[in-house]
Amino acid sequence: MFPINLDSWAWVTLLGVVCLLIIVFRERLSELISRTKTIRMTGKGVEFEFWERVKHVQARVGNIQKTVAGHRDGTASRERRPPIDLPARDLFVESWGILKQTVYDACAARNIALTPATGVTTAITQLQRADLLEPEVADDINTLYQIGKEVSGNKKIIPTTAEAQVYREFVDSYVAWTMLEVISPGVEETGTPDAKPGRVTRVATHFPEPSRGHPTATLAGVGGPVFGMRYPVNTISFKIGANHKNNLLIEHDDYVSQLHASIRYEGGDLVLVDEHSTNGTFLNGQRLSTTTPSMVSAGDRIQIGKSTFEVLRASD
């Protein structure tokens, strides 16, 4: 055995430390690479995957937007409103939820039977088989749904603001198209040709006069972003719209006007009034004339923007 002096031991110790650092560094580097691939949709190779997946959607969304803009003589336009003030991931998840609910609403509107276990992808396929969605449109909606599902299901995925805004824009376009072409197709802009100013005669429910703590009726959210919510109609004139001064505030919906509609109590009756909104107020699938208020009954459905409400008695 050859003799080992102090310098030799120092070199051996140093070499051992270096080897240990290399091993630790490689493990840490692998962990960082793995986290980089899963935590963000941005970064080299990962951001490109998002844009690659929506490439075909981006190529076709222009035609969808043209259809929406030109629908009903071009009146289905968006309100000019400030950008939605939400964190990118929250905006992504909210948009995905709206898209998902719109697909189910479309099936319900066209009497396509679904079970509680029916997934969105299956619902989209059912709409396509019923010739309500062209294959390309169905493919785009499903792509947007799958991307949103991944983001929603993995909190480590943090999209950028640009990705969230583009995703929201695409979702908004396909939701609006679905509402106009599938949920409420062929609705006339000005009501029936013979409609005269004044109230439409309908068999109505008798509602109690509203007072503090005693609403006259309840609006139950049955479709869109208000799904599952309940809103008591507790004033003589119940205003609905995008402005914070309204009794019922509908935020983050470009198709809702600042003061969109109101529900008025008139001696035991509830009357729905479109307040000259840009995109219209719908009662049981029919667009209201701005000059013809309509009496509502328990069980009626009101559609404002992407939100659908069912009128319930206050006791329900």
Side-chain angles (χ1 to χ4, degrees):
M1 180 182 292
F2 59 86
I4 299 178
N5 56 31
L6 183 61
D7 290 341
S8 297
W9 279 113
W11 279 107
V12 170
T13 302
L14 179 61
L15 181 60
V17 171
V18 170
C19 291
L20 180 61
L21 288 174
I22 290 175
I23 293 173
V24 172
F25 178 74
R26 287 184 61 185
E27 291 179 352
R28 179 60 176 164
L29 182 61
S30 297
E31 179 184 352
L32 289 173
I33 291 174
S34 175
R35 290 181 61 192
T36 300
K37 288 182 177 179
T38 58
I39 288 180
R40 296 194 59 80
M41 297 181 72
T42 58
K44 187 175 181 181
V46 183
E47 179 180 7
F48 179 77
E49 181 182 353
F50 170 77
W51 294 106
E52 182 69 22
R53 291 179 67 180
V54 299
K55 182 184 293 184
H56 65 87
V57 179
Q58 190 171 15
R60 294 193 285 254
V61 73
N63 291 331
I64 295 295
Q65 291 171 338
K66 287 179 182 178
T67 300
V68 172
H71 209 280
R72 305 186 186 116
D73 297 326
T75 59
S77 58
R78 296 185 176 190
E79 293 286 304
R80 293 183 178 273
R81 297 172 55 203
I84 297 172
D85 185 19
L86 282 177
R89 191 176 189 282
D90 291 348
L91 180 59
F92 220 103
V93 173
E94 181 189 79
S95 303
W96 173 70
I98 293 172
L99 179 66
K100 179 170 62 172
Q101 188 58 51
T102 300
V103 171
Y104 287 136
D105 289 347
C107 289
R110 291 310 190 98
N111 298 316
I112 295 177
L114 302 178
T115 69
T118 302
V120 172
T121 299
T122 301
I124 293 171
T125 301
Q126 297 277 45
L127 289 168
Q128 182 180 345
R129 288 176 177 173
D131 293 327
L132 297 170
L133 296 179
E134 294 292 333
E136 294 82 3
V137 174
D139 183 50
D140 289 348
I141 293 175
N142 190 50
T143 295
L144 293 172
Y145 168 73
Q146 294 297 337
I147 293 174
K149 182 180 179 181
E150 291 177 22
V151 175
S152 178
N154 186 352
K155 293 183 178 180
K156 292 183 178 180
I157 299 178
I158 306 175
T160 65
T161 299
E163 291 164 343
Q165 289 176 345
V166 168
Y167 183 78
R168 179 58 175 244
E169 179 70 21
F170 289 170
V171 167
D172 275 355
S173 298
Y174 281 91
V175 165
W177 183 92
T178 303
M179 289 172 59
L180 295 171
E181 298 289 337
V182 181
I183 296 177
S184 300
V187 177
E188 295 296 329
E189 284 306 296
T190 57
T192 57
D194 297 329
K196 298 179 181 180
R199 184 184 302 172
V200 175
T201 302
R202 299 178 63 234
V203 177
T205 304
H206 178 81
F207 294 95
E209 184 175 358
S211 61
R212 184 181 296 273
H214 299 282
T216 183
T218 300
L219 296 182
V222 295
V226 298
F227 181 78
M229 306 294 287
R230 294 172 72 93
Y231 305 91
V233 180
N234 50 15
T235 64
I236 296 294
S237 181
F238 188 80
K239 295 178 171 57
I240 305 170
N243 191 295
H244 285 75
K245 295 181 180 180
N246 292 306
N247 303 105
L248 197 166
L249 171 65
I250 302 179
E251 296 185 287
H252 314 318
D253 188 337
D254 292 333
Y255 299 92
V256 177
S257 299
Q258 293 296 298
L259 174 56
H260 195 105
S262 63
I263 297 177
R264 301 174 186 173
Y265 177 81
E266 296 183 357
D269 296 332
L270 287 184
V271 177
L272 178 63
V273 180
D274 179 83
E275 302 287 358
H276 300 277
S277 65
T278 302
N279 295 304
T281 302
F282 297 84
L283 179 62
N284 298 324
Q286 297 297 314
R287 180 166 179 162
L288 299 185
S289 167
T290 56
T291 60
T292 308
S294 185
M295 189 180 299
V296 299
S297 300
D300 283 351
R301 293 204 169 190
I302 300 170
Q303 182 180 336
I304 296 175
K306 301 170 187 173
S307 300
T308 303
F309 306 89
E310 182 173 341
V311 180
L312 303 178
R313 297 175 184 271
S315 57
D316 290 347

